[in-house]
Amino acid sequence: MPSVSVRRSKANFVSVRISYIDCGTSMRELLADCSPFADGIDVFDGDPAPDRLAALVREADVVLDGHTALDGALLAQAPRLRSIVFLGTGASNYIDLAAASRRGIVVRAVKNYGDRTIAEHAFGLLLAAARGFARMDYDVRNGIWAPQNGIELAGKTLGIIGVGATGAEMARIAFGFGMQVIGWNRSGVVADVPCTAMPLDEVLANSDAISVHLALCAETQGFFDAQRLNRLKPGCLLVNVARGGLFDEPALIEALRTGRIAHAALDVFTTEPLPKGHALTMLPNVTLSAHAAWKSREASFRLLRRSLELARADAERLVAGDTLAP
């Protein structure tokens, strides 16, 4: 297994093993552009079988994890492991954080690498919802010529729920497009964002379109229940590129069926991949994408580069005998 060797003194080299355990094709193509941070790292292409995964984790000091589940039983087999760098923000969805903490393993996530990319995808979904692109594409491919009556977005009010880094980018795009932007954020709206802060209920009641950018946590699980959905302006558009768990899914489906929500454009779902025949796939006023809002070459490069930098920094700390701080 390749390793990262660092000179501690003139007569002493220390090898720290960094293992990227599930490198996908697109990330493999980007690795060549990430030198010197990628030099000497063990890279496993694709998804390792259980035995191979156990060996990769067991033999590593630092692990790069793109999407592989690392549970307590697996971590218990890895006495050398001291750092896991998760390529993304949702480390808790894949890694047993409590088990890692008990074993003295630091888990790092990468934030803000895709704010602009995600916001652009969200605005693209908003346009698709407003103009019926997906419906017309399907119809034309099937020999049906049925122009959709669209909605002009300029002058309309966009409500952003969660005006963090990604929500702020969405606000800038929408403002530049000529929309009025209002929003609600649990910690307030930063002054330089072109978004007027309002109480949540006012945002829901006054927005022609809603774009959701909340983080999913215990406090926001099921945040949009039937009661909150009923506060939406009748006939509004809805975009969700955050997490499916923010919505009470049956309540969302009912709001679409009744027309409370005229059209929903969704990139994330409670269950992923979305099962064939799921109710959301059967509704004509829904546009779907495959949890791809974060996925651009530019965002992927930033994600990979920052992940490698974090892994390399932890390796150097281990060589120096330093304790890894969260």
Side-chain angles (χ1 to χ4, degrees), residues 142-177:
N142 286 277
I144 301 169
W145 196 263
Q148 297 287 305
N149 189 28
I151 298 170
E152 185 174 285
L153 293 178
K156 299 297 190 298
T157 298
L158 173 66
I160 298 177
I161 309 301
V163 195
T166 305
E169 287 294 329
M170 182 66 166
R172 294 183 183 104
I173 295 170
F175 182 79
F177 209 76

Side-chain angles (χ1 to χ4, degrees), residues 13 48 93 105 133-134 225 303 308:
F13 283 88
N93 296 319
I105 301 169
F133 292 152
D225 55 13
L303 172 61
L308 290 167

